[in-house]
Amino acid sequence: CSNFDAFTMVREEKTDIGIIFNAPPVDDLDSISVGKGIRIVMVCADHPLAKKQYVTLNDLIHEPFLCNDARDDTIFFQELRKRHDFFPSIHYKCNNPSLELELVGTNACISIAPLVCYLHWRRIRPELPLVGLMIQDELPEFSINIVSKKGKTMTDAARAFIAACEEFFSRKR
């Protein structure tokens, strides 16, 4: 689900914790940073770039992009402008990961997404022809945070999940 949905679900106590990407602090929730991650370019397997293992921002300059505001894409693209003078051509905006998968999987656009999202989508939607490409340029990292209701005692399962996330994201790859 999106950052927005995760905040809502935690606030309404539909879940004990939520995983948030690059979310700003909010007053009514506690937040624990469990790691930093990298972003990759997601393309359809039929896309000409899909044959490459690595791409540069220069390779992407004329590509149609999707901006997914369920993550932090708007902020991320602003940071790319500042750091690399890179102005992606945003053809689609959404806040729905399923729509993003369909648009990229049908070669309507490309997306820059957290690697953990790409790996998750490959697992749950293996029929989609998605390819993940590493980006050679230095990109802004994103933080992965766990949010919980302020003042609420976490379950043992939630604490174990947080410990597993911290261990996973601290591994050198």
Side-chain angles (χ1 to χ4, degrees):
C1 65
S2 72
N3 281 355
F4 311 116
D5 294 337
F7 283 140
T8 300
M9 291 175 72
V10 170
R11 284 184 179 115
E12 294 175 357
E13 298 187 21
K14 292 180 180 174
T15 185
D16 291 330
I17 59 175
I19 300 174
I20 307 295
F21 297 107
N22 272 0
V26 291
D27 292 338
D28 62 331
L29 298 175
D30 287 327
S31 180
I32 300 167
S33 177
V34 293
K36 300 274 184 200
I38 63 169
R39 297 174 197 263
I40 59 150
V41 176
M42 283 194 322
V43 300
C44 179
D46 294 339
H47 193 286
L49 290 175
K51 294 170 182 51
K52 293 185 164 200
Q53 188 174 9
Y54 295 93
V55 293
T56 66
L57 290 174
N58 234 14
D59 295 328
L60 308 176
I61 198 72
H62 299 294
E63 296 294 331
F65 274 87
L66 177 135
C67 178
N68 186 341
D69 284 326
R71 292 186 302 265
D72 68 328
D73 285 8
T74 298
I75 297 165
F76 170 72
F77 286 132
Q78 290 169 351
E79 189 65 27
L80 279 183
R81 284 184 192 112
K82 282 190 243 175
R83 286 189 186 192
H84 297 286
D85 203 29
F86 180 75
F87 293 86
S89 177
I90 307 294
H91 285 228
Y92 301 95
K93 283 186 79 98
C94 73
N95 64 358
N96 180 327
S98 295
L99 179 58
E100 177 178 18
L101 293 178
E102 293 301 324
L103 289 168
V104 173
T106 58
N107 217 4
C109 61
I110 67 173
S111 178
I112 297 180
L115 175 61
V116 294
C117 291
Y118 169 73
L119 295 174
H120 171 72
W121 294 328
R122 293 288 301 149
R123 187 175 53 78
I124 64 169
R125 297 285 308 274
E127 77 282 3
L128 286 177
L130 299 177
V131 174
L133 307 170
M134 300 300 289
I135 304 169
Q136 288 181 321
D137 301 275
E138 187 175 323
L139 300 180
E141 287 185 326
F142 70 94
S143 63
I144 303 161
N145 299 295
I146 305 289
V147 293
S148 62
K149 188 116 180 183
K150 201 174 271 296
K152 185 175 180 187
T153 303
M154 273 193 222
T155 63
D156 290 342
R159 283 195 297 274
F161 179 77
I162 290 169
C165 287
E166 290 172 330
E167 191 274 327
F168 176 82
F169 290 111
S170 68
R171 285 187 211 152
K172 296 288 180 217
R173 295 188 189 349

